[in-house]
Amino acid sequence: MSFQKHVFIDNTSIYKSKKNDLTLCICLGKNYIQYLFYQICTKKIYYLCSLLSEKSIVNNEQIEPILNHQLLKYCDKVYIVYDQIKNTLVPLPIYSKQHQSLYFQHTHDIENDEHLLTQIPRENMVELFAIKKTSEKYFKETFPNTHFLSLSACLLNSYFELVKNQFHTIYTLFLNCTENTLYLTLFKYKELHYHFCFELESAEDALYHLLNLLHTKNVKISEANFILSGFCSYQNEIADLLQTYFSIQTFNQNMISDELINEKEDFPIHILFNLYSILRCVS
């Protein structure tokens, strides 16, 4: 099955700087790619595109349009952001680089062809995430000045900012759905209590993991805000199913106070919250 392409923003023709001042961000999932060319100094997006398939797996063919895009030659940095479940948070005081694989022993198997990288979503914690060594080599050889990030850590970074002054219930629960992944995050007031990534195949999966979290953490529905974002092909099914049991809010522009993006009217943040979170980390 071919990939469906959607261009949200295209300001390519009005880019005039020519000073290698663009940043390219590529969010890479199992069966989707989202990418944008962003000018940090002006907070302007010059191009934003999404490629998604319900069945096919991303390969080099989907990278080709990025390589051929005329704005690439003006990029001084490239961020490859991985959307996958092999990640874990570790408190910084107990983190040891020499024992990285041990932090996954109860959750995931780290294969010999995988490399562990780190990202700091907050000053007191580190996230470890796994990427294929072949993938790392390919991107380093293909793009200039390449950096690797975890979507999980980028989302978490945004959530910490949001709970500072946005929500006033005891608990705030964030759900972010991509085509194959559910990111489930729970705050009690401003303190992180839970953050985990699950494989996602249906709306029922999202409901199951949410109900299980509420049960294990003894969270009353009346004491919580539920914030949903994401863009998977069955996002509406997820929203409808969850609305049967909870009062679900869809993430919207009113929930953010920063001026990270000039084209707010062209940037559907409830769908592209992951890209917003990535921009927060790279700006």
Side-chain angles (χ1 to χ4, degrees):
M1 183 179 291
S2 61
F3 280 74
Q4 295 180 343
K5 180 179 180 179
H6 185 90
V7 178
F8 292 91
I9 297 173
D10 188 356
N11 292 318
T12 304
S13 62
I14 65 172
Y15 178 72
K16 304 298 182 183
S17 177
K18 317 298 185 187
K19 294 181 180 179
N20 286 36
D21 59 355
L22 294 182
T23 297
L24 169 61
C25 299
I26 303 173
C27 189
L28 187 64
K30 182 178 179 181
N31 60 346
Y32 78 89
I33 292 180
Q34 292 177 328
Y35 63 98
L36 57 81
F37 292 90
Y38 179 69
Q39 191 176 47
I40 293 176
C41 62
T42 61
K43 301 178 182 178
K44 187 172 185 63
I45 296 173
Y46 280 91
Y47 191 82
L48 194 167
C49 180
S50 172
L51 297 169
L52 171 67
S53 173
E54 293 184 28
K55 302 294 182 182
S56 300
I57 304 299
V58 169
N59 57 39
N60 293 358
E61 185 179 341
Q62 284 73 55
I63 303 294
E64 198 67 28
I66 307 176
L67 292 174
N68 294 330
H69 199 286
Q70 66 188 76
L71 292 177
L72 180 60
K73 61 185 176 182
Y74 303 114
C75 291
D76 64 342
K77 289 183 181 178
V78 177
Y79 291 90
I80 311 296
V81 186
Y82 285 87
D83 168 18
Q84 45 85 26
I85 64 170
K86 284 191 178 182
N87 52 70
T88 189
L89 284 173
V90 181
L92 204 54
I94 66 169
Y95 169 68
S96 170
K97 187 175 182 179
Q98 289 72 35
H99 302 95
Q100 286 183 331
S101 59
L102 292 179
Y103 301 115
F104 288 89
Q105 62 182 343
H106 300 299
T107 55
H108 303 290
D109 293 325
I110 304 302
E111 310 296 337
N112 290 333
D113 64 343
E114 291 178 321
H115 181 205
L116 291 177
L117 300 177
T118 61
Q119 186 175 341
I120 308 293
R122 220 57 183 171
E123 64 273 3
N124 60 345
M125 63 183 67
V126 59
E127 178 167 298
L128 288 162
F129 61 102
I131 66 173
K132 294 286 187 182
K133 293 178 181 177
T134 52
S135 175
E136 181 181 22
K137 182 175 184 291
Y138 168 78
F139 284 117
K140 282 184 174 180
E141 292 178 349
T142 303
F143 293 105
N145 199 6
T146 304
H147 307 267
F148 299 95
L149 299 176
S150 165
L151 178 57
S152 168
C154 294
L155 291 171
L156 194 55
N157 176 269
S158 287
Y159 294 155
F160 271 106
E161 292 302 312
L162 288 167
V163 297
K164 279 184 178 180
N165 50 24
Q166 185 60 238
F167 308 107
H168 304 291
T169 51
I170 297 176
Y171 296 99
T172 304
L173 207 150
F174 296 98
L175 304 92
N176 185 272
C177 306
T178 65
E179 193 67 19
N180 299 108
T181 313
L182 168 67
Y183 296 88
L184 201 51
T185 309
L186 175 68
F187 284 84
K188 185 175 183 180
Y189 297 112
K190 297 176 178 60
E191 183 178 335
L192 179 66
H193 271 235
Y194 183 88
H195 179 71
F196 202 79
C197 313
F198 299 93
E199 289 186 350
L200 185 67
E201 295 182 358
S202 67
E204 288 74 19
D205 287 344
L207 177 62
Y208 169 80
H209 290 302
L210 176 54
L211 289 173
N212 188 55
L213 174 59
L214 295 176
H215 174 72
T216 56
K217 296 295 184 180
N218 196 27
V219 176
K220 296 179 181 178
I221 295 175
S222 60
E223 297 177 337
N225 267 318
F226 299 87
I227 314 298
L228 177 66
S229 59
F231 61 89
C232 72
S233 58
Y234 46 95
Q235 186 78 9
N236 289 337
E237 295 176 38
I238 294 173
D240 291 343
L241 180 59
L242 296 182
Q243 286 283 10
T244 306
Y245 302 92
F246 314 101
S247 178
I248 298 289
Q249 299 180 60
T250 299
F251 197 91
N252 61 74
Q253 292 283 5
N254 294 328
M255 293 181 181
I256 61 174
S257 58
D258 55 27
E259 298 295 328
L260 192 63
I261 301 167
N262 283 338
E263 298 85 354
K264 286 185 176 181
E265 66 279 4
D266 299 320
F267 192 92
I269 198 165
H270 61 293
I271 300 174
L272 301 177
F273 182 71
N274 57 327
L275 290 180
Y276 164 82
S277 298
I278 291 166
L279 288 181
R280 278 192 55 85
C281 289
V282 306
S283 298

